[in-house]
Amino acid sequence: MNQIEIQYFAVLRERAGTSHETVESAAQTAAELYDELAARHDFGLPRTMLRVAVNDEFTDWSQPLAAGDRVVFIPPVAGG
């Protein structure tokens, strides 16, 4: 189990009820972590609609995770 810091924006923040949280997770990749959190918070957005950043750098969903990582899931942003 790794302790991972998560930050949420927009609709994900609304669904999670918080802008950030620290979780204990056995997820090995960003994809596994998102799937775990999506089930917990009922995000309803597929990964294909999101970007992911680990430790302040955009990466792909297969990025391995380690204890202490900071992960940000970025949903599509509407506006004008």
Side-chain angles (χ1 to χ4, degrees):
M1 291 287 234
N2 291 324
Q3 190 172 51
I4 300 183
E5 186 178 327
I6 313 295
Q7 190 167 9
Y8 301 112
F9 293 102
V11 67
L12 299 181
R13 179 178 60 223
E14 293 169 18
R15 291 284 177 103
T18 186
S19 61
H20 66 279
E21 67 179 330
T22 301
V23 298
E24 289 283 333
S25 176
Q28 298 295 306
T29 65
E32 289 176 13
L33 180 62
Y34 179 77
D35 291 347
E36 179 182 309
L37 296 170
R40 181 183 305 166
H41 296 302
D42 192 30
F43 287 151
L45 287 176
R47 288 192 312 260
T48 56
M49 294 184 66
L50 306 171
R51 300 274 321 261
V52 63
V54 176
N55 298 325
D56 304 319
E57 296 202 14
F58 284 110
T59 188
D60 64 44
W61 289 99
S62 62
Q63 172 72 34
L65 298 177
D69 279 349
R70 292 179 318 281
V71 178
V72 180
F73 298 114
I74 303 161
V77 178

